[in-house]
Amino acid sequence: RTPTDMTPVVPSLTLRSGAKMPALGLGTWKIAAGDTTAAVLSALRCGYRLLDCAPVYGNQPQVGAAIQQALDEGTLRSRDELFVTSKLMTQTLDPTDFEAAVRTSLAELGVDHLDLALLQWPAPQRAPIAEQWCAMEALVDAGLARHIGVSNFSVKKLGELMDGSDVTRGAEGADAEYSVLNTDDAEYCVLGECRIPPAVNQVECGAHFRQERLLNWCASRGVVVQAYGPLGSGDQFSSDGMGRARSGMEPVSHPAVVDAAMATGVTRHQVLLRWNVGRGNVCVIPKSVNPERQLENLEAVAGPALPPEHANSVGSIEEQYRLQHGSFHTGPNKPYRTLADLWDEDVGYMEGREFERPEGFALR
């Protein structure tokens, strides 16, 4: 199959600017640098047009090599066919350094602008998030990013950012290690509504953790949701992957998913992707280095919706849990005291589950 003849058409989502973003992208987290160019090139050849990247993934130069090869061979007719996302990991990055960091990413990726730049976590160690957002807006002004957004933001934190009530200010002092959530008497930083509102919130989102409240809120505010880990991110937990402790069942093994796959004649992975995109306002970014699986994922998103009875069954899985729990941002010397502070929700769904806990960790 080639992008010019037999490739199924991936639907798109409309961003607040009116620009279109594909509802399927290739996630590049956990792809080894040595495998990245081949994986990205095979995805582009079978029809992917969204690439999700980040400097911390350690493979942006290899992504750039694949983009250039796709242009050289005609798989991509122009850079404008591609939607490229990268991120800023702000735990150790001052807002004054955002532009230089993005220019480095552009050089690695071999492009002259990002279609989407994201704050990777609500991390206020070096500056209040409201100040970080001003630096993000400056990226758009400079033509370095066409859209800006956030990742791993709760309804509360995103609402505070958008509406000008930022309570994630770091403590006073250039070397402060704590946010207001760890400082009882710190002043809040209120900058007013965003001049350029976030276009996207990228979060963990799948049948194992539906994020219904967040999805509904984002839709009401014109924010598109990008779903990472929509298949359960299995290689985080495999012995030949990252070897992390698994906090819940692998979503593809759930009986509702297995039953839907058997009844509809598609794979379990396709069930999960088709269900997620079928909810509306959701873009999925599964990672795969296998060309056959990449095409399988593309066909899932391009294909017809699940029958209502199976969509309802997959969307009603009772057990809900985070696999990317973010506990490394919590603790006595971290921005958030507890997991509940990080996610601004009742985290009872993590009670009794296996996952990595930093020193001083507390759920609530």
Side-chain angles (χ1 to χ4, degrees):
R1 299 181 185 228
T2 72
T4 57
D5 50 30
M6 298 175 63
T7 301
V9 177
V10 172
S12 62
L13 298 165
T14 303
L15 302 177
R16 63 171 67 250
S17 67
K20 302 293 186 181
M21 180 178 74
L24 170 74
L26 180 71
T28 61
W29 180 39
K30 306 184 304 300
I31 300 182
D35 299 330
T36 299
T37 298
V40 173
L41 189 59
S42 68
L44 294 173
R45 286 170 174 167
C46 81
Y48 284 67
R49 291 298 179 264
L50 188 157
L51 302 175
D52 180 69
C53 313
V56 73
Y57 301 167
N59 54 15
Q60 286 192 150
Q62 290 76 22
V63 173
I67 293 172
Q68 187 58 54
Q69 186 170 340
L71 287 166
D72 291 344
E73 70 185 23
T75 295
L76 292 174
R77 291 184 291 270
S78 75
R79 158 68 178 92
D80 291 339
E81 292 185 12
L82 197 57
F83 194 101
V84 180
T85 300
S86 191
K87 308 178 183 74
L88 291 156
M89 187 70 93
T90 57
Q91 291 96 314
T92 58
L93 192 65
D94 292 326
T96 53
D97 296 325
F98 281 16
E99 179 174 334
V102 169
R103 289 189 183 278
T104 297
S105 286
L106 295 178
E108 291 178 345
L109 293 164
V111 297
D112 62 0
H113 70 273
L114 297 176
D115 296 280
L116 178 64
L118 300 177
L119 292 176
Q120 194 157 355
W121 284 90
Q125 290 95 316
R126 302 300 289 265
I129 291 174
E131 290 184 14
Q132 294 178 29
W133 193 253
C134 291
M136 296 291 283
E137 292 172 330
L139 298 175
V140 178
D141 296 338
L144 301 178
R146 291 189 172 173
H147 303 88
I148 48 178
V150 297
S151 183
N152 297 304
F153 273 56
S154 65
V155 167
K156 180 176 184 289
K157 289 182 176 62
L158 187 52
E160 288 162 350
L161 173 61
M162 294 181 71
D163 297 332
S165 182
D166 185 298
V167 299
T168 53
R169 180 179 182 178
E172 297 295 328
D175 296 324
E177 296 179 353
Y178 303 93
S179 81
V180 70
L181 295 173
N182 268 338
T183 308
D184 293 336
D185 59 353
E187 296 178 357
Y188 288 178
C189 177
V190 180
L191 296 186
E193 293 183 3
C194 293
R195 179 168 59 87
I196 303 175
V200 167
N201 187 13
Q202 185 183 114
V203 295
E204 179 180 2
C205 186
H208 65 287
F209 198 66
R210 290 186 295 272
Q211 298 265 37
E212 288 161 333
R213 177 172 175 260
L214 179 67
L215 261 64
N216 291 336
W217 190 91
C218 285
S220 74
R221 298 297 301 269
V223 178
V224 173
V225 172
Q226 278 189 345
Y228 69 72
L231 303 175
S233 194
D235 53 0
Q236 282 193 68
F237 314 104
S238 62
S239 58
D240 58 350
M242 298 177 70
R244 289 180 170 174
R246 175 177 285 282
S247 55
M249 176 186 292
E250 189 177 19
V252 294
S253 300
H254 195 281
V257 177
V258 174
D259 291 347
M262 293 180 64
T264 58
V266 301
T267 70
R268 294 174 293 166
H269 297 83
Q270 288 179 317
V271 165
L272 288 168
L273 296 177
R274 192 166 290 182
W275 166 81
N276 217 347
V277 171
R279 296 196 288 169
N281 203 48
V282 177
C283 160
V284 291
I285 48 171
K287 166 249 176 182
S288 177
V289 300
N290 183 296
E292 289 76 21
R293 177 62 59 77
Q294 291 173 350
L295 182 58
E296 177 185 314
N297 293 345
L298 186 145
E299 290 176 334
V301 173
L306 287 177
E309 63 271 23
H310 294 296
N312 291 337
S313 179
V314 173
S316 301
I317 294 174
E318 183 175 359
E319 185 183 19
Q320 296 286 287
Y321 46 89
R322 290 184 184 273
L323 293 169
Q324 182 66 9
H325 41 75
S327 65
F328 50 86
H329 284 296
T330 69
N333 299 315
K334 297 294 181 67
Y336 303 100
R337 295 188 186 99
T338 70
L339 207 62
D341 289 335
L342 173 62
W343 298 118
D344 302 306
E345 63 192 14
D346 180 359
V347 292
Y349 53 78
M350 298 301 288
E351 197 81 55
R353 297 188 181 277
E354 292 293 326
F355 61 96
E356 293 75 14
R357 292 165 169 80
E359 185 177 356
F361 173 81
L363 275 178
R364 305 175 182 87

